[in-house]
């Protein structure tokens, strides 16, 4: 046993922190985890999980509306926000307890308080004031919403607050064009709020394939979202029970709730990293190498706090690679290429690999196959939503380097397609695969 209190001290009990702590503890290491909020982190408490439940909630509304074409008469359907909110919160409490339980069962100690570094190997717990030493330290503190400076910004909420609203407002304004803004605009509109989404750019989801961006914008409009481009808010004023938002072009819009979904920042403020000599980049992210090691050789960081690919499954993989590297004598650099992901708009987006624009920039020659169609389910329901698919290949062998889907179940479909793309599949192998009929996904093997 070393001279330290613990072999590993993990700050943050989110996806990356819990996986790392659990694996290290299961190897017999003496591990502690500190969490200032609730075990589970952003994904479980105020991110992926409650967001997906809200999307499911909104989809029920859509299904009710669209069911008449299938012969259903639904009378007196109404939505109660409080029921859904409380049901979700109960489920999150269950999940959070499971996360704590997993740590305990594997022998890791859990401190429900903030920990800050006060030296290279020393941490201080905020409530108890206890000082603890550890041989290795893992920073897994995730991210936190970023809200741009403007008069009245305190009147706006962020995604952190959206899950706990007392009531569902009549009018909602979502600012931003990224993942969170697009998903939440869909949720609010789907649950019945008159929703406006305002983005400073000219297409949603910057960084995605241009045609995917267009398809998502069209989907938002079909869902009744009032989508505004080329505008940024400059001030917010409280008026009665609502707000007046002034934009940079001088226009003003009234609303009952403003949600800023203007990006997230690494959660490193006040952690004392400077006291241990850990270097941060200009955005406050811990700078790490391929093994998630910071410039200080015994301090590592995984997940959103490193601002690499900010997704829960990535944090989990980085955490597992950290344990392989440090405790199993098996240096493992997690491969960040071809990570499939989904955006849960309605319909959702599923993507793996490169966009057409990225593929053009990276390869001399590429080939693009695409299709757009109204899915079978929408014919009888009367829904105008369309499905868009694109497959990008390169080289003589036509290796598939990008797959993009905007359509129902895109998140589910892309998970399976992601395996094939990661394995280096070619277009000929897609073509040799027999279709599953009638499905949306079969279009991928008939392009
Ligand atoms: P994003 O980076 O996706 O979007 C931020 C948005 O805010 C962009 O549209 C950006 O515009 C806009 N913005 C930034 N600064 C300003 C400003 N000063 N004024 C007006 N608009 C501004 O961040 P999110 O917060 O939506 O999501 C954070 C990360 O969380 C994502 O990148 C993703 O990794 C992860 N995530 C993943 C999900 C999933 O997998 N389904 C769901 C939710 C989050 P511009 O494009 O012009 O910069």
């Amino acid at each position: 046993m070393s001279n330290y209190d613990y072999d590993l001290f993990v700050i943050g009990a989110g996806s990356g922190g819990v996986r790392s702590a659990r694996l290290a503890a299961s190897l017999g290491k003496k591990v502690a985890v500190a969490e200032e909020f609730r075990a589970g982190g952003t994904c479980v408490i105020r991110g992926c999980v409650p967001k997906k439940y809200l999307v499911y909630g909104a989809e029920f509304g859509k299904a009710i509306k669209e069911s008449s074409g299938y012969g259903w008469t639904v009378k007196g359907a109404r939505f109660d926000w409080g029921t859904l909110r409380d049901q979700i919160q109960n489920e999150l409490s269950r999940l959070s307890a499971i996360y704590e339980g997993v740590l305990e069962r594997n022998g890791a100690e859990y401190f429900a308080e903030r920990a800050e570094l006060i030296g290279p190997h020393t941490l201080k717990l905020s409530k108890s004031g206890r000082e603890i030493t550890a041989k290795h330290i893992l920073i897994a503190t995730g991210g936190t919403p970023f809200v741009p400076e403007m008069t009245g910004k305190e009147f706006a909420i962020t995604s952190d607050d959206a899950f706990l609203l007392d009531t569902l407002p009549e009018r909602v304004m979502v600012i931003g064009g990224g993942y969170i803004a697009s998903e939440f605009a869909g949720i609010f509109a789907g649950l019945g709020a008159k929703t406006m989404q305002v983005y400073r750019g000219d297409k949603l989801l910057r960084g995605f394939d241009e045609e995917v961006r267009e398809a998502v914008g069209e989907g938002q409009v079909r869902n009744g979202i009032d989508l505004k481009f080329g505008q940024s808010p400059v001030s917010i004023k409280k008026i009665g029970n609502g707000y007046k938002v002034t934009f940079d072009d001088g226009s003003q819009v009234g609303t009952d709730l403003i949600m800023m979904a203007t990006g997230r920042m690494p959660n490193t403020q006040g952690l004392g990293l400077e006291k241990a000599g850990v270097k941060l980049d200009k955005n406050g992210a811990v700078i790490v190498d391929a093994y998630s090691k910071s410039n200080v050789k015994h301090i590592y960081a995984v997940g959103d706090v490193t601002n690499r690919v900010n997704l829960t499954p990535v944090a989990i993989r980085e955490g597992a690679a950290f344990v392989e590297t440090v405790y199993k004598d098996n240096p493992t650099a997690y491969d960040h290429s071809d990570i499939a992901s989904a955006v849960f708009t309605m319909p959702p987006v599923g993507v793996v690999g490169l966009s057409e624009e990225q593929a053009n920039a990276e390869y001399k020659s590429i080939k693009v196959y695409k299709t757009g169609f109204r899915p079978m389910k929408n014919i009888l329901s009367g829904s105008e939503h369309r499905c868009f698919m694109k497959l990008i290949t390169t080289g003589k062998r036509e290796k598939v380097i990008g797959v993009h889907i905007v359509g129902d179940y895109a998140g589910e479909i892309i998970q399976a397609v992601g395996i094939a793309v990661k394995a280096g599949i070619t277009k000929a192998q897609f073509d040799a695969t027999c279709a599953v009929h009638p499905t949306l996904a079969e279009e991928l093997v008939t392009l």
Side-chain angles (χ1 to χ4, degrees), residues 42 140-144 264-267 285-286 302-312 314-315 318:
T42 300
T141 47
T144 186
R264 293 176 62 84
M265 309 185 301
N267 190 12
V286 179
V302 294
D304 290 8
V305 77
T306 63
N307 202 16
R308 286 177 281 180
V309 180
N310 298 334
L311 299 170
T312 267
V314 175
E318 289 168 355

Side-chain angles (χ1 to χ4, degrees), residues 51 148 177-180 183 199-200 206 232 261-263 310-311 342:
K51 178 274 309 286
Y179 280 79
I180 298 179
E183 291 180 341
Y199 174 46
R200 63 183 177 182
R206 184 162 63 83
S232 266
T262 40
N310 298 334
L311 299 170

Side-chain angles (χ1 to χ4, degrees), residues 7 10 39-40 63 111 121 131 133 140 165 171 190 216 251 275 297 314 325 344 374 378 434-435:
D7 294 311
V10 180
F111 295 108
H121 285 278
E131 290 185 15
T133 59
L165 294 174
R171 298 171 300 169
V216 171
S251 62
K275 292 177 185 141
K297 72 178 191 328
V314 175
T325 303
F344 293 99
R374 194 162 160 223
N378 297 352
C434 191

Side-chain angles (χ1 to χ4, degrees), residues 79-129:
F79 172 69
D80 181 55
W81 164 255
T83 302
L84 178 57
R85 178 199 57 209
D86 295 349
Q87 284 265 92
I88 293 173
Q89 289 305 314
N90 289 341
E91 171 59 5
L92 303 190
S93 298
R94 188 184 74 85
L95 293 175
S96 184
I98 288 175
Y99 270 67
E100 275 187 50
V102 159
L103 289 172
E104 272 163 31
R105 268 198 309 285
N106 283 281
E109 218 171 315
Y110 182 72
F111 295 108
E113 54 187 309
R114 184 175 170 83
E116 290 174 9
L117 286 145
I118 54 169
H121 285 278
T122 312
L123 301 112
K124 188 172 180 178
L125 296 176
S126 63
K127 275 194 218 149
S128 57

Side-chain angles (χ1 to χ4, degrees), residues 13-256:
S15 305
V18 168
R19 180 59 58 96
S20 312
R22 165 166 88 73
L23 292 176
S26 71
L27 294 171
K29 300 294 162 193
K30 195 170 181 217
V31 179
V33 184
E35 168 59 55
E36 64 180 334
F37 192 52
R38 290 169 76 187
T42 300
C43 172
V44 173
I45 306 297
R46 40 199 184 188
C48 326
V49 174
K51 178 274 309 286
K52 188 83 188 271
Y53 275 118
L54 290 179
V55 171
Y56 284 138
E59 282 174 349
F60 274 103
K62 190 164 168 275
I64 291 168
K65 275 190 213 137
E66 293 176 358
S67 64
S68 63
Y70 282 88
W72 290 89
T73 303
V74 183
K75 282 204 181 114
R78 58 176 287 277
F79 172 69
D80 181 55
W81 164 255
T83 302
L84 178 57
R85 178 199 57 209
D86 295 349
Q87 284 265 92
I88 293 173
Q89 289 305 314
N90 289 341
E91 171 59 5
L92 303 190
S93 298
R94 188 184 74 85
L95 293 175
S96 184
I98 288 175
Y99 270 67
E100 275 187 50
V102 159
L103 289 172
E104 272 163 31
R105 268 198 309 285
N106 283 281
E109 218 171 315
Y110 182 72
F111 295 108
E113 54 187 309
R114 184 175 170 83
E116 290 174 9
L117 286 145
I118 54 169
H121 285 278
T122 312
L123 301 112
K124 188 172 180 178
L125 296 176
S126 63
K127 275 194 218 149
S128 57
R130 198 176 142 187
E131 290 185 15
I132 289 174
T133 59
K135 187 172 179 192
H136 281 96
I137 293 166
L138 181 71
I139 313 297
T141 47
T144 186
F146 159 78
V147 176
E149 279 312 318
M150 73 185 74
T151 311
K153 73 178 224 185
E154 66 278 12
F155 297 127
I157 67 158
T158 67
S159 57
D160 281 0
D161 316 300
F163 302 105
L164 296 169
L165 294 174
D166 289 337
T167 53
L168 182 71
E170 226 175 278
R171 298 171 300 169
V172 179
M173 181 187 293
V174 180
I175 308 289
Y179 280 79
I180 298 179
S182 302
E183 291 180 341
F184 267 91
I187 288 166
F188 284 126
L191 296 179
K194 196 167 179 299
T195 306
M196 179 180 273
Q197 181 178 2
V198 189
Y199 174 46
R200 63 183 177 182
D202 61 357
K203 269 182 218 154
L204 301 178
L205 295 177
R206 184 162 63 83
F208 282 68
D209 186 276
E210 289 294 308
E211 287 181 292
V212 167
R213 300 177 70 188
E214 276 161 28
V216 171
E218 287 163 12
Q220 299 290 79
V221 172
R222 285 198 182 101
N223 285 327
I225 297 164
D226 185 2
L227 190 55
K228 303 268 188 227
F229 288 119
Q231 283 179 305
S232 266
V234 289
S235 70
I236 302 170
K237 206 169 165 192
K238 187 155 175 46
I239 301 205
N241 290 329
Y243 304 96
K244 189 160 75 183
V245 184
T246 304
F247 291 92
D248 48 3
D249 62 358
S251 62
Q252 294 186 319
V253 180
T255 187
D256 303 317

